[in-house]
Amino acid sequence: MRNIILTGFMGTGKSTVGRLVAAKLQREFIDMDTLIEQREGRAITQIFAESGEPYFRQLEANLCRELAAQSELVIATGGGALVPEANLRVMEESGLVICLDCEPDTLWQRIGQSKNRPMLADQDEERFARLQTLLEQRAPAYTRIEHHLDVTYLTLEEAAKRIYEWANDE
Ligand code: S3P
């Protein structure tokens, strides 16, 4: 059975939805950020602060290849993990990649106050602008992904149900 890989911007619900989908399908769930934190013994914010973003991106690239070599997993990636096209191709070969999309205002409600999002940096008045800029920068990479689900008006349970049905139709 092929993997199911959920990706998309921070705050779209990848981890929560992925966990629900895995439970419905009785499959193992892997959250890439959590696995990286466990292996490194430090939080993502700490990894960014102490070792820099390129180091984190290399960990992500390596982990994509490691997980793509397995099967039957439900995987939630970090929001930037499949931005490099090579990482996307590797994951696409291993399974169904679905990008969760969401309107900026809703994302802001969900992650505007988040303290563990180094890509949004400080909680100052520029934060919403940074979120919008990052969304624009990411748009070409997310557009490359074949399958999308807009979760702006869906509950996490509804999103999980759609993906579960999708996986069953495969
Ligand atoms: C990132 C998203 C985060 C995490 C890291 C970088 C990004 O994951 O991997 O902070 O570049 O978009 P979530 O999308 O789960 O917040």
Side-chain angles (χ1 to χ4, degrees):
M1 260 189 296
R2 279 153 38 92
N3 291 326
I4 295 168
I5 301 113
L6 302 186
T7 195
F9 204 76
M10 294 173 271
T12 50
K14 304 176 291 284
S15 302
T16 311
V17 173
R19 194 168 285 110
L20 290 169
V21 172
K24 279 175 186 287
L25 291 168
Q26 295 186 306
R27 293 211 206 174
E28 185 181 348
F29 173 65
I30 303 279
D31 184 280
M32 286 182 56
D33 283 344
T34 305
L35 189 52
I36 287 174
E37 286 183 328
Q38 282 168 353
R39 288 179 176 181
E40 286 284 303
R42 50 191 179 147
I44 301 286
T45 37
Q46 243 177 312
I47 300 174
F48 268 71
E50 294 168 3
S51 306
E53 186 180 348
Y55 175 82
F56 174 74
R57 297 301 175 198
Q58 189 57 54
L59 294 178
E60 279 187 318
N62 297 345
L63 188 53
C64 282
R65 279 146 192 84
E66 180 187 327
L67 297 175
Q70 300 174 44
S71 57
E72 293 187 44
L73 301 173
V74 177
I75 301 165
T77 78
L82 304 192
V83 170
E85 194 167 359
N87 294 356
L88 172 63
R89 297 295 165 231
V90 161
M91 284 304 210
E92 278 181 339
E93 278 170 29
S94 91
L96 173 67
V97 179
I98 301 174
C99 182
L100 305 187
D101 301 318
C102 188
E103 295 292 332
D105 288 342
T106 306
L107 286 177
W108 180 247
Q109 283 166 23
R110 294 184 187 174
I111 59 167
Q113 304 304 317
S114 166
K115 289 192 173 60
N116 58 358
R117 297 297 195 325
M119 294 304 291
L120 296 179
D122 305 326
Q123 291 182 329
D124 54 19
E125 65 275 13
E126 306 296 326
R127 210 176 204 223
F128 186 65
R130 277 200 298 278
L131 181 141
Q132 284 183 306
T133 305
L134 191 57
L135 267 173
E136 280 164 27
Q137 288 168 350
R138 292 272 168 90
Y142 292 149
T143 304
R144 276 200 288 266
I145 300 167
E146 194 181 337
H147 305 292
H148 289 257
L149 178 65
D150 192 329
V151 297
T152 309
Y153 303 106
L154 297 181
T155 64
L156 295 165
E157 287 76 15
E158 285 166 345
K161 189 163 174 279
R162 298 271 184 98
I163 292 165
Y164 169 78
E165 286 163 0
W166 204 333
N168 275 335
D169 288 346
E170 271 258 296

